[in-house]
Amino acid sequence: MRAEIADLEGKSLNDVEKEAEEKKATDRQRLEEMESDRAAREQERAAGVGDKRSGRSRSDDGKFLRVPISVEDQIEQASRSVEAAFKDGITRQIVRFALLPEDKALNEDVQWPGGPKQMYREAAGPQTRALLSRVRAPTSNATDLRTVYKPNVTAEEIWDFDGSALVRAEAATGSEDDVQCLVFPNTDTKYTNDIRAIGKAMGDRLVILVNPFWRSLDSWGINLLAPKGKSLAKEVIFDGGYQETYVLLKTSARGEDCVALKAYPYNWQLYAFREDDSWPYGTNVLWLGSTKEEPTSANFSELLNVREEFKLNKNMRYLQRMRGGNGDD
């Protein structure tokens, strides 16, 4: 595409590449500034928003939530959701990050040629450690010690080939306030047994499963070597109180780059990226709607179809811009 742009604009490919990098940096900064405005609104509402235990009202379904463009924003948003759920008595949680290296943004393409090992080393590991450095989930009488006492966060790899690890946050206020995360558990019975053992040892303390390699109980198929694997998973995980409290998913619908966000206690929020006037480098995040259940591609398509900004598909907008239009005509 950049070679075509260079030909059309009479520039060298190197010039176009340089402009692309400069625009990408500017775009990332602009998106983060735009999302910070929504973050301010979120914080303003947070004080009056949950149930009786957390003090939040459920009247707002989460339309005000921002899409976290940077890793830092994602960690901050996830930590608030995890803590809110813990205050509501949810001690068994599932967090699904959009896995990003530290120098990448959500609207950039990320490839993992090294598989789960690379995913853990460059994204899941750092993001989980950052999450546990922020989350406070006291079961003791400790008060808000966030700015005073920092937990000691450690990580222990389980099986190197699948990127799995156990990450612990040892609280400065005592072991009763510790938190543990199991990263990349899958449908192997070993992990189900590990989850049961960790849960038993942790009692009322917080346990988080980070980016498990399953979507539902149906992910456990027929396994002759572990014929009771599915029933065990149902008992330990799905009937064991584990709930998704934070999920950030990148997906595609109708050829558009979309985002689904679940941040406890709110409904799923649906968004789409749309190129702006600085295209092909600039993008905006547009809120589409919300769903109570995890959205499907059909949900996204239905919402995209009624938005004027997406009346033309991405290829048609590209062709129109090449002819001198702005993609909105």
Side-chain angles (χ1 to χ4, degrees):
M1 180 184 292
R2 288 177 182 171
E4 295 176 6
I5 293 172
D7 289 339
L8 287 169
E9 297 183 355
K11 300 178 180 178
S12 69
L13 183 57
N14 287 337
D15 288 340
V16 172
E17 293 284 354
K18 183 178 180 180
E19 289 180 3
E21 291 302 318
E22 292 174 350
K23 288 285 189 179
K24 184 185 293 185
T26 301
D27 180 46
R28 184 184 301 178
Q29 180 180 358
R30 180 176 53 77
L31 283 171
E32 290 180 355
E33 290 174 352
M34 179 181 68
E35 296 300 340
S36 69
D37 292 338
R38 298 185 71 185
R41 293 196 298 272
E42 180 179 352
Q43 291 174 352
E44 289 174 359
R45 302 185 190 194
V49 185
D51 63 17
K52 294 181 180 179
R53 284 173 290 186
S54 65
R56 274 184 298 279
S57 157
R58 301 299 175 89
S59 60
D60 192 325
D61 74 353
K63 180 179 179 179
F64 67 93
L65 290 170
R66 62 191 178 91
V67 173
I69 300 300
S70 69
V71 172
E72 176 70 15
D73 286 344
Q74 188 176 174
I75 298 303
E76 178 63 27
Q77 192 177 62
S79 66
R80 289 198 298 268
S81 297
V82 168
E83 288 185 347
F86 182 78
K87 289 178 181 178
D88 285 352
I90 303 174
T91 63
R92 299 294 180 263
Q93 302 187 26
I94 296 175
V95 168
R96 296 184 186 273
F97 289 121
L99 297 177
L100 298 172
E102 187 176 2
D103 61 344
K104 291 290 187 179
L106 186 66
N107 59 329
E108 296 180 60
D109 184 43
V110 178
Q111 301 294 326
W112 304 104
K117 291 174 63 175
Q118 181 188 11
M119 293 163 66
Y120 174 77
R121 182 178 65 252
E122 298 182 10
Q127 286 177 238
T128 302
R129 293 193 295 272
L131 176 67
L132 288 197
S133 71
R134 296 197 180 188
V135 167
R136 302 293 185 270
T139 61
S140 67
N141 293 324
T143 56
D144 186 5
L145 304 174
R146 177 181 303 280
T147 59
V148 181
Y149 296 106
K150 301 292 184 181
N152 178 35
V153 179
T154 61
E156 175 188 352
E157 293 185 0
I158 299 176
W159 279 347
D160 177 67
F161 68 87
D162 65 3
S164 58
L166 181 63
V167 183
R168 300 181 178 90
E170 298 175 349
T173 51
S175 60
E176 60 267 43
D177 299 333
D178 289 354
V179 179
Q180 291 194 17
C181 288
L182 187 59
V183 184
F184 286 168
N186 59 46
T187 58
D188 192 295
T189 303
K190 169 193 165 37
Y191 290 107
T192 309
N193 288 326
D194 285 348
I195 292 168
R196 179 167 58 182
I198 292 169
K200 183 177 181 180
M202 290 294 286
D204 292 334
R205 293 174 293 180
L206 179 59
V207 178
I208 305 173
L209 307 181
V210 176
N211 286 62
F213 283 116
W214 64 73
R215 294 305 305 169
S216 67
L217 187 59
D218 290 336
S219 298
W220 277 261
I222 298 174
N223 186 343
L224 297 179
L225 298 178
K228 296 183 178 180
K230 187 172 184 178
S231 60
L232 181 63
K234 184 178 186 299
E235 173 193 345
V236 174
I237 302 169
F238 296 91
D239 293 341
Y242 283 91
Q243 298 183 40
E244 290 185 335
T245 54
Y246 185 79
V247 184
L248 185 63
L249 300 176
K250 289 182 65 176
T251 186
S252 178
R254 243 193 55 183
E256 305 291 347
D257 296 322
C258 300
V259 174
L261 170 64
K262 168 68 176 177
Y264 183 91
Y266 306 108
N267 290 339
W268 286 87
Q269 306 301 311
L270 286 63
Y271 309 84
F273 288 105
R274 172 65 157 78
E275 65 275 8
D276 65 12
D277 291 340
S278 63
W279 183 89
Y281 313 112
T283 55
N284 291 317
V285 184
L286 302 182
W287 182 81
L288 301 177
S290 64
T291 59
K292 291 185 177 181
E293 304 297 330
E294 181 174 340
T296 64
S297 179
N299 294 138
F300 276 103
S301 295
E302 181 179 355
L303 292 168
L304 289 167
N305 288 339
V306 298
R307 290 294 293 264
E308 186 70 16
E309 299 93 335
F310 299 98
K311 66 179 181 180
L312 299 179
N313 64 36
K314 188 181 294 185
N315 289 335
M316 292 298 294
R317 296 197 302 269
Y318 166 71
L319 291 174
Q320 191 170 63
R321 288 176 185 273
M322 289 294 96
R323 293 169 181 162
N326 64 8
D328 295 323
D329 299 333

